[in-house]
Structures are given as C-alpha cells and as structure tokens.
C-alpha cells in the first residue's frame, strides 16, 4: 500500500505570548525584576522604574535605562524573536560588554515580562548613531487574530525625542495593567526586590549599576525605609568565608551586646578543610543505609572536583538574636525584626547581581528552618540571618536558571552547591553557640540543652497546629511526646542499646518531626496528622523500653571488643580501614570488669563511627586503604584502672575534653554531637571515665597519631 505524505508546519496562536508570560513569570513583581535584569544586560548604569496612577483604575509602569539600546535590526531580528539565542552564544563565548558584564539572561524569554504586566506596551529604544525606534503592541487588537504570524506590529523609526542629545537606552511603557491594585505592602516589597538586584552587602556591592523605584502618587510609601547597611552593623555575629576548591578560609566575629558583659571574640582560620554534610539521598555507609555495599563513597571534604561548573564561592552573614531579653538590650527591636522579615535569609549573587528568588520568605533553599527544628541548640533559622553567597558568572555554567526565573535548575551542580554552603556555615553555627551559651549563663537563662532540643521542635509544631486550627486534635498527643522527651536524659543513663541503634532511633525521631512539620505547613487531612503523631508515639514507646534496660555484670573486655569488631566489620571493609586489634588474639591476656555490655558496646561503636568519619577527612582519596587505620587494645596497667584504648590515623581532636563531651557540640557537618556525650555517660554509669590521653601516655604504636580515646574502668574489688 502506498502512503502519501504531506508537509506541515507548527503554527502558534496569537495568545501564545500572553500565556507564556503568565506561566513563565510568577508575579508582576518578578516581571519588573526581569526588566531590570534586561537593563543590566544592556550595559546600563541605571534603570528607573516609575509607577503612576496608583489608586486609580489606570495605573502605568515605565521602565527606563541608559543602556546601549537597540538598532532597528536588533528590534526586528532579536527582540521580536522569542527564545533567540544571541545571549546564550554571548555567554558561552565569554563575550563581555564594554562594562565587563556577561549576560544574566540566556533563554530569550525575559521580554515576555512586558506581556505579563499589561495589555498595551510602548517600546522606545535608541542605539548610538541610530534613529529612535518605537514599537507599540496592543494585545487587545492582536488577540483578534487567530495566529501569531497574522498579527502584524509596526516598527517605527523616527528622529530622537525621548533619547535625544546623543543619549542611548530603552524605555518601556506598560498600560492597561493586568493587576491594577498595587498596595503599599506590594510596592514596598517591589522596592526591596528592585534595589536588591545589586547587593546591599559591602563586599559584594556594585557601583556600576543602580536600580531605583519612584511612586509619584504615594512617595511616602517608600520614604524613610531603613538603610540595610546600618542595620547590618547591629548584628552581634558577623561571619565571612571563601573557598576556591583548595583553600577554605573563614572569619568569625562576635560583637558585644550592650548591657551584657561578654567581650568581643574573633576566630580566623586560613587554609583549613571544608567539611560537607553527607549527600542528601544516598547514605554511603552500609550500617546506616541498610545496604550491604554502596557503589561509591560520598566525599566528606569539598575539593576542586566538587566546584566543577560552580567556581569559587564566598559568603558573608550577619546573625541576630531575637530572644526577648537580648533583643530588648539591642534597641529598636521592631525595626530589626521588620528588616529581617523582609531581608532575612541567604541570597545568591552572581557577578554582584542577585539570582532570584533565593533569600525570599518562601525559599528556604538550604533547609535552615527545618534543621533548626531538628537541632535548635545549633541551627540558625532564616528569620535571624541576613547574608549572601557570591558566585562568578563565568565559572558557574553548570548552575542554570529556570525558565520561570525562580532559582537554579536543581541538578547535580546545584546539590553540590547546597552541600558546600552548608559545610561552609558550620563553623559559624559552632562558634556562635559558644557565645550564646556564655550569654545565657550571664543572663541566668541556661536551659538544659537535651530538653531544649526536644521541647523547642514540639513547641514549633504546636504553633503551626494552632495556626491551622488543629490544636484540639494534635496537642494532647504532642503533650505526651513532650513528656517522654523531657525524661530522655534520665532514661538514657540506663540504656543497654548499641550506639548504632541509638543513632537510628534519633534519626527516626528526627525524620518524624521533619515529616510532621512539613505536613502541617501543607494543610494536610487531620487523619494523616493524627496517624503521624501516633506513629511517633509508638516509636517512643519502643525507645523507652530499650532505655529502661540495664545489665551491669562481669564482662570480659576481650569479648566486648571482639563483638564491636564483628558488628563493624562491613564498615571497616567498605571504608577501607585497617584494624589492628591485639586484644582479640588467642594469646591476649583476658581482662574482666563490671559494666553494662550493651551500653559499653554502644560507646565503642560511637567512637569507631567518629574515627571513620574523621579519617575520611584526612585521607579523602585513600583508594588503597593504607592511610585509614584504627587500633583497639586493652591496657591493664592504665592509670586508674584497666582501659580499652582506641586510636586512629585521623586529624586528632581540636577541642578540650570538656567541649568534646558537651551534648550537641560537634565539628562534624550536621552532626548530632551525641556520640562522645553518650560514651561519657556510659562510662559514668560504669563508675569509670572517658579519658583523652596523649599518645605518649599509652602503649599505642606511633603510627596512630590521630585521636586517642580510653574507656577506663574501675579496678575489680573497688
């Protein structure tokens, strides 16, 4: 059978541009923001946005810049061609403008912003030595045509009237606005959005591009807005960092709070390791992932490879304390809170120009609020920090902006960016907690950190439930969770479970809180919420049963070490760790003590877990497994009593023993800070002690020059 084919061409209806403008550009404010970015790409020094006729049924928006403007040919062959690739080619070829700029846009879709804003558009533009070009678009008339190519638009050339005296630039006037009701709050948010295109932060600020907003009918709406640079000086904590793939540097400053006798403190580190949190999806540990073997080890140290397609990163953060007692001492509390309501969060700037919408209220791109819910003693939520991340346009081609102009496409490079930034702010969170603890002690407001870590997340969930009208159904169940959590510390003292199991339980509780928090924000069905809370209670009930166990008896330490070796065998092999364990040899002397077998096994497993992680930071690419090694032995003649001594080839401890065993204190990115705290409590329960001896104080071979930990037990009969 013969088939006869005919040729066909795609045709687009006239309404296509209007639909694209509506769908690709989220809000009118974002549409204006896009026009400001277009002015930057046109090498403008300034762009002025003027909104007239507010409060009437016929407001108008004018956007005017002093950029290079467009020739008649450019208007015809580029501006009228949707998705033209001239900027993309310019970006790929690294062709910079006279002011040294690379284009912010590359998809040829930004001009759709004008169609988002209104039905009537007048475009007036002029390039150097060229006539002035005028284009008038009336969407009401264009929509009368079925197909886009039938809807003709006249391109007029004339003697300069708007851009006279050899001036150049582009002016766009938009009338018959689709959204005619611009409130004071929306205008102020637009003002903040427009002015934020250039960073208010000193190091990142540009002096070659200025964006301004004028509202002639209501100038008072944007008058006397606070100067961000002045309010940033009020922040007690300031932190900055740089990372180029090889060198990580940071500077931390605590600036004294009036009325609190805590002196200024500064920490400066140069050329240190940048530790990053584990990859968000695939846990690379066979114990915690539930997999016998995973394909590749995830990096725990950022390096040049992690910066591929991202380029060097720097950042600066200003952190406040809004607790009532401290905020009252700082003065102008409402002004600071209002400033943070509008400016709180962490923005991204590329070549000094903002990438929208990072730093907006609805974009917690680093998950800071959720992390604070899970670990309130350490986390920094968005409402107390104003900061930015700085990238280089030329070196970050793998970070591609979405077509709707709301952030980057969430690809592998974006995930790496998140991990690097979270790792980079870890020293800020750790050092800030040192000062916060000292301030709480001075004010007499110290709260048990274990209880705080439980009660604060639950209180946040209660607040959300109240806002959603779910308190009567949720609060009774949450009250029970709160009660169980409050007694966790006492129960933990008599637990008999291993550290691995403990970590899993805490992880599950954390997951439950995270899931409940998210679901309550998303207006779930009440039955779903109730079942989630009940599931958490079932988990707690099981945890409580484990916590009540206690099995203090005579234990052979050799058998205890052998058991620890066996349950961690997969981890040693997976992480290419050599284990030197003389205590399990057949001819090793037997040593017995009185202790809780399960409790002590958990302490050993926690110490091993720390050793494996930190050895990976010192030996990140140890394919042959020659660098990572752990030594475990019994020293019967240890000072004060027999001891299990565990040593590794990691970087060693940086903190004092007091800090090492403090709960929720950790240098490990997103670490819980419970491992050594747990081990210390175990040894106290065993009437022994967790000791951090020098290598010379033990019989450990010299090659194990990292961390040394001893679990010392009392002498039998004492």
């Amino acid at each position: 059978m013969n088939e006869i084919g005919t040729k066909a061409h795609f045709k687009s209806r006239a309404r296509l541009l209007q639909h694209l403008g509506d769908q690709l550009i989220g809000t009118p404010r974002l549409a204006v923001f896009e026009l400001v970015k277009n002015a930057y790409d046109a090498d403008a020094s300034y762009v002025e946005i003027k909104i007239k006729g507010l409060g009437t049924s016929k407001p108008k928006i004018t956007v005017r810049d002093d950029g290079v403007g467009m020739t008649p040919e450019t208007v015809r062959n580029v501006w009228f061609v949707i998705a033209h690739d001239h900027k993309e080619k310019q970006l790929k070829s690294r062709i910079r403008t006279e002011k040294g700029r690379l284009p912010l846009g590359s998809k040829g879709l930004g001009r759709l912003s004008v169609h988002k804003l209104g039905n009537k558009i007048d475009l007036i533009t002029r390039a150097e030595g060229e006539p002035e070009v005028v284009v008038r678009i009336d969407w009401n008339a264009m929509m009368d045509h079925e197909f886009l190519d039938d809807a003709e638009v006249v391109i007029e050339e004339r003697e300069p009237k708007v851009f006279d005296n050899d001036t150049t630039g582009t002016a766009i006037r938009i009338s018959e606005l689709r959204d005619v009701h611009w409130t004071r709050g929306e205008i102020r948010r637009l003002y903040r959005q427009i002015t934020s295109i250039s960073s208010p932060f000193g190091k990142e600020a540009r002096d070659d591009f200025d964006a301004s907003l004028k509202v002639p009918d209501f100038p008072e709406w944007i008058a006397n807005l606070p100067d961000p640079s002045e309010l940033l000086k009020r922040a007690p904590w300031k932190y900055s960092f740089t990372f180029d793939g090889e060198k990580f540097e940071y500077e931390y400053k605590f600036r004294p709070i009036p009325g609190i006798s805590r002196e200024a403190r500064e920490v400066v580190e140069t050329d240190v390791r940048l530790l990053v949190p584990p990859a968000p999806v695939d846990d690379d540990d066979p114990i915690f992932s539930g997999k016998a073997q995973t394909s590749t080890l995830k990096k725990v140290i950022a390096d040049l490879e992690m910066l591929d397609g991202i380029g060097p990163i720097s950042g600066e953060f200003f952190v406040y304390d809004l607790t009532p007692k401290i905020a009252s001492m700082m003065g102008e509390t409402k002004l600071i809170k209002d400033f943070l309501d509008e400016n709180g969060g962490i923005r991204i700037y590329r070549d000094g120009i903002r990438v929208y919408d990072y730093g907006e209220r609805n974009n917690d791109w680093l998950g800071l609020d959720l992390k604070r819910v899970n670990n309130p003693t350490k986390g920094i939520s968005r409402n107390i920090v104003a900061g930015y991340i700085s990238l280089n346009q030329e070196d970050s081609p793998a970070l591609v902006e979405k077509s709707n102009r709301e952030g980057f496409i969430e690809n592998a490079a974006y995930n790496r960016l998140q991990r690097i930034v979270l790792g980079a702010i870890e020293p800020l969170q750790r050092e800030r907690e040192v000062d916060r603890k000292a301030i709480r002690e001075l004010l007499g407001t110290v709260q048990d950190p274990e209880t705080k870590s439980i009660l604060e997340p639950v209180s946040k969930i209660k607040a959300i439930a109240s806002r959603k009208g779910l308190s009567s159904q949720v609060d009774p169940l949450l009250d029970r969770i709160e009660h169980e959590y409050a007694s966790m510390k006492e129960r933990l003292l008599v637990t008999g479970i291993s550290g691995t199991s403990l970590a899993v339980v805490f992880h599950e509780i954390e997951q439950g809180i995270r899931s409940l928090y998210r679901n309550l924000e998303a207006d779930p069905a009440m039955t779903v919420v109730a079942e989630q809370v009940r599931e958490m209670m079932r988990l707690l009930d099981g945890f409580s049963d484990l916590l009540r166990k206690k099995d203090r008896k005579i234990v052979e330490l050799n058998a205890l070490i052998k058991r620890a070796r066996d349950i961690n065998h997969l981890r040693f092999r997976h992480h290419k760790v050599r284990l030197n364990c003389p205590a399990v040899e057949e001819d090793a002397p037997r040593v017995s003590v009185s202790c809780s077998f399960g409790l002590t096994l958990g302490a050993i497993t926690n110490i091993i877990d720390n050793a494996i992680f930190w050895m990976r930071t010192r030996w990140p690419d140890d394919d042959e497994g020659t660098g990572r090694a752990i030594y475990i032995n019994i020293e019967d003649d240890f000072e004060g009593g027999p001891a299990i001594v565990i040593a590794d080839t990691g970087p060693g401890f940086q903190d004092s023993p007091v800090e090492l065993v403090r709960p929720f204190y950790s240098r490990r990115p997103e670490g819980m800070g419970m491992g050594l705290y747990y081990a210390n409590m175990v040894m106290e329960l065993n009437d022994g002690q967790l000791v951090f001896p020098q290598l010379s104080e033990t019989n450990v071979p010299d090659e194990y020059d990292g961390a040394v930990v001893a679990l010392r037990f009392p002498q039998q009969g004492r």
Side-chain angles (χ1 to χ4, degrees):
M1 181 176 62
N2 294 326
E3 293 184 0
I4 300 175
T6 59
K7 293 182 179 180
H9 301 277
F10 284 105
K11 299 184 72 173
S12 59
R13 293 189 178 272
R15 61 179 183 169
L16 174 64
L17 289 188
Q18 200 172 43
H19 284 320
L20 286 175
D22 283 337
Q23 297 300 320
L24 290 178
I25 310 298
T27 65
R29 284 186 288 110
L30 183 53
V32 175
F33 187 79
E34 279 299 307
L35 295 178
V36 174
K37 287 170 64 176
N38 285 346
Y40 172 87
D41 285 349
D43 236 17
S45 297
Y46 82 89
V47 57
E48 178 189 272
I49 298 91
K50 185 181 293 184
I51 305 180
K52 298 180 67 175
L54 288 174
T56 73
S57 60
K58 296 182 179 181
K60 298 178 181 180
I61 297 175
T62 301
V63 180
R64 176 170 175 165
D65 67 57
D66 66 345
V68 296
M70 292 183 282
T71 66
E73 290 74 20
T74 302
V75 172
R76 184 179 298 107
N77 299 325
V78 176
W79 198 82
F80 267 90
V81 179
I82 303 303
H84 198 288
D85 61 353
H86 78 291
K87 286 188 180 180
E88 184 178 5
K89 290 178 179 178
Q90 182 183 343
L91 186 60
K92 287 182 177 179
S93 301
R94 301 293 186 262
I95 300 173
R96 292 183 177 271
T97 65
E98 188 175 325
K99 288 187 170 67
R101 299 173 185 171
L102 288 172
L104 300 176
S106 62
K107 296 180 175 64
L109 299 174
R111 73 211 62 175
L112 296 176
S113 301
V114 295
H115 307 303
K116 172 75 175 182
L117 291 168
N119 290 322
K120 290 188 176 181
I121 297 128
D122 293 347
L123 169 73
I124 306 168
T125 184
R126 185 191 180 200
E128 184 178 6
E130 297 285 343
E132 196 168 77
V133 181
V134 179
V135 177
R136 305 182 195 279
I137 299 175
D138 183 346
W139 277 105
N140 298 311
M142 289 188 69
M143 294 291 283
D144 290 337
H145 297 280
E146 185 176 6
F147 294 104
L148 190 59
D149 53 1
D150 295 330
E152 294 182 346
V153 178
V154 176
I155 299 176
E156 176 189 347
E157 298 180 29
R158 70 184 187 189
E159 287 296 315
K161 294 181 180 180
V162 176
F163 295 99
D164 54 4
N165 299 323
D166 296 325
T167 59
T168 63
T170 299
I172 300 176
R173 299 169 180 167
I174 307 162
S175 57
E176 283 195 17
L177 301 188
R178 300 216 173 101
D179 187 351
V180 299
H181 302 292
W182 287 75
T183 65
R184 176 179 178 273
E186 287 168 335
I187 291 294
R188 289 167 72 93
R189 282 191 289 274
L190 177 63
Y191 174 86
R192 180 181 65 86
Q193 193 164 322
I194 289 171
T195 56
S196 74
I197 190 170
S198 292
S199 172
F201 303 96
K203 291 183 180 179
E204 189 62 14
R206 297 188 68 112
D207 59 5
D208 65 343
F209 184 68
D210 180 58
S212 65
L213 173 66
K214 293 186 177 179
V215 190
D217 303 301
F218 298 95
E220 68 277 9
W221 282 5
I222 55 175
N224 302 318
L225 288 175
D227 181 357
S229 61
E230 288 301 314
L231 291 177
L232 292 175
K233 295 176 183 178
R234 305 282 189 89
W237 290 277
K238 181 183 178 183
Y239 176 80
S240 59
F241 77 89
T242 60
F243 178 59
D244 62 5
E246 295 178 345
K247 186 183 285 189
F248 174 51
E249 300 180 346
Y250 67 82
E251 181 179 12
Y252 167 91
K253 289 183 179 180
F254 167 70
R255 301 184 281 199
I257 299 172
I260 300 177
S261 57
R262 173 70 172 173
E263 294 183 357
R265 191 170 73 91
E266 184 173 341
V267 178
V268 178
E269 292 285 355
T270 59
D271 199 11
V272 293
R273 300 183 308 273
L274 173 53
L275 307 182
V276 295
V281 178
D282 296 323
D283 192 340
D284 64 345
D285 193 289
I287 293 292
F288 297 106
S289 68
K291 304 173 185 176
Q293 185 73 22
T294 52
S295 56
T296 58
L297 283 172
K298 304 300 185 297
K299 292 183 177 181
V300 295
I301 294 185
D303 56 15
L304 274 171
E305 186 179 351
M306 285 195 74
L307 282 183
D308 183 37
I310 298 174
I313 300 175
S314 62
E316 190 172 35
F317 305 87
F318 299 83
V319 186
Y320 300 78
D321 194 320
L322 297 182
T323 53
K325 197 165 187 177
I326 295 177
S328 64
M329 296 178 174
M330 293 174 61
E332 297 186 336
T333 304
K334 185 179 185 306
L335 190 64
I336 292 174
K337 285 184 176 179
D338 290 346
F339 167 72
L340 289 172
D341 282 344
E342 294 294 337
N343 297 275
I346 297 177
R347 301 173 181 174
I348 295 179
Y349 287 88
R350 200 150 56 163
D351 281 1
I353 298 297
R354 186 177 177 191
V355 180
Y356 194 80
D357 63 343
Y358 300 111
E360 292 298 295
R361 293 178 180 179
N362 62 342
N363 190 340
D364 186 13
W365 68 283
L366 292 171
L368 296 181
D369 290 348
L370 190 57
K371 294 179 193 302
R372 180 163 173 79
V373 167
N374 293 329
N375 195 346
T377 63
K378 184 177 179 181
I380 295 176
S381 56
R382 287 180 300 162
N383 70 326
I384 62 170
V385 60
Y388 71 90
I389 298 299
S390 177
L391 301 170
N392 183 295
Q393 177 84 349
E394 186 168 346
D395 296 330
S396 57
L399 297 173
V400 181
E401 289 192 54
K402 297 176 182 177
S403 294
N404 66 1
R405 300 304 197 271
E406 295 185 359
F408 295 124
I409 294 172
E410 294 174 6
N411 55 18
Y414 176 74
N415 292 334
R416 283 187 275 117
L417 173 67
Q418 286 180 306
R419 294 178 64 204
I420 290 169
V421 173
L422 287 170
I425 65 177
E426 189 72 18
L428 164 62
Q429 298 182 110
R430 183 179 64 247
E431 296 295 343
R432 176 174 171 268
E433 182 56 24
V434 172
D435 292 310
R436 288 185 68 234
K437 180 185 177 185
I439 291 170
R440 291 195 300 269
E441 290 175 348
L442 288 170
L443 295 177
T445 59
V446 177
Q447 186 178 12
D448 177 30
E450 297 94 318
T451 303
K452 181 177 174 61
S453 73
I454 304 310
L455 298 184
E456 189 165 319
V458 172
S459 69
K460 285 180 178 290
I461 293 173
K462 280 187 173 182
I464 297 171
S466 175
R467 195 167 70 242
K468 304 288 185 180
L470 303 173
S471 295
S472 61
Q473 300 99 320
V474 174
D475 280 5
L477 293 168
L478 289 177
D479 287 340
R480 189 178 168 205
I481 290 177
E482 196 171 57
H483 173 75
E484 289 291 332
Y485 269 162
S487 61
M488 185 178 292
K489 179 180 178 180
E490 287 73 23
R491 296 180 187 177
L492 187 59
L493 287 171
V494 292
T495 182
I497 63 175
S498 71
T500 301
S501 299
L502 179 67
V504 170
V505 170
F506 271 110
H507 176 72
E508 291 301 318
I509 293 173
E510 177 184 303
Q511 290 289 89
I513 291 175
R514 179 186 290 116
S515 177
L516 186 60
Y517 183 83
R518 283 176 176 163
N519 279 350
L520 281 172
E521 284 282 22
D523 295 315
M526 186 55 222
T527 54
V528 175
V529 173
E531 182 54 34
Q532 275 193 287
V533 179
R534 291 190 191 97
E535 184 60 35
M536 291 175 66
M537 280 311 311
R538 286 192 286 271
L539 178 66
L540 280 169
D541 289 340
F543 189 24
S544 299
D545 291 341
L546 290 170
L547 289 170
R548 293 187 180 98
K549 294 180 181 177
K550 179 181 176 182
D551 56 344
R552 184 87 172 265
K553 59 185 179 182
I554 300 299
V555 170
E556 187 181 273
L557 293 183
N558 309 71
L560 182 61
I561 293 172
K562 184 176 185 299
R563 177 61 180 150
R565 180 201 65 180
D566 292 344
I567 66 174
N568 286 284
H569 175 71
L570 271 178
R571 304 188 72 208
F572 294 142
R573 185 175 66 185
H574 181 72
H575 292 287
K576 298 181 175 63
V577 174
R578 291 184 292 111
L579 179 64
N580 184 356
C581 199
V584 300
E585 301 295 331
E586 290 186 4
D587 58 349
R590 304 304 182 201
V591 178
S592 297
V593 301
S594 175
C595 70
S596 168
F597 187 95
L599 201 64
T600 311
L601 179 63
I604 295 172
T605 301
N606 272 290
I607 294 169
I608 289 173
D609 176 62
N610 281 343
I612 290 175
F613 175 83
W614 289 106
M615 286 191 296
R616 289 173 63 188
T617 71
R618 184 177 180 184
W619 311 92
D621 300 310
D622 192 25
D623 294 333
E624 300 302 320
T626 56
R628 302 174 192 162
I630 293 178
Y631 176 87
I632 306 177
N633 201 12
I634 301 169
E635 294 192 12
D636 198 19
D637 58 349
F638 195 84
E639 183 178 355
I644 296 174
V645 179
I646 305 172
D648 62 50
T649 57
F653 293 118
Q654 300 180 51
D655 302 295
S656 68
V658 173
E659 290 296 311
L660 291 173
V661 299
R662 180 157 63 88
F664 304 107
Y665 178 82
S666 176
R667 289 182 178 270
R668 185 168 170 172
E670 299 191 11
M672 290 181 61
M674 288 290 291
L676 291 177
Y677 167 65
Y678 171 74
N680 185 58
M681 287 200 301
V682 165
M683 294 313 297
E684 288 180 357
L685 181 63
N686 287 327
D687 295 329
Q689 187 178 4
L690 189 69
V691 184
F692 302 92
Q694 297 295 315
L695 188 65
S696 59
E697 298 176 296
T698 68
N699 298 321
V700 174
D702 291 342
E703 71 167 294
Y704 300 93
D705 57 352
V708 183
V709 181
L711 288 78
R712 190 190 68 197
F713 300 88
Q715 295 281 7
Q716 283 294 93
R718 292 190 180 183

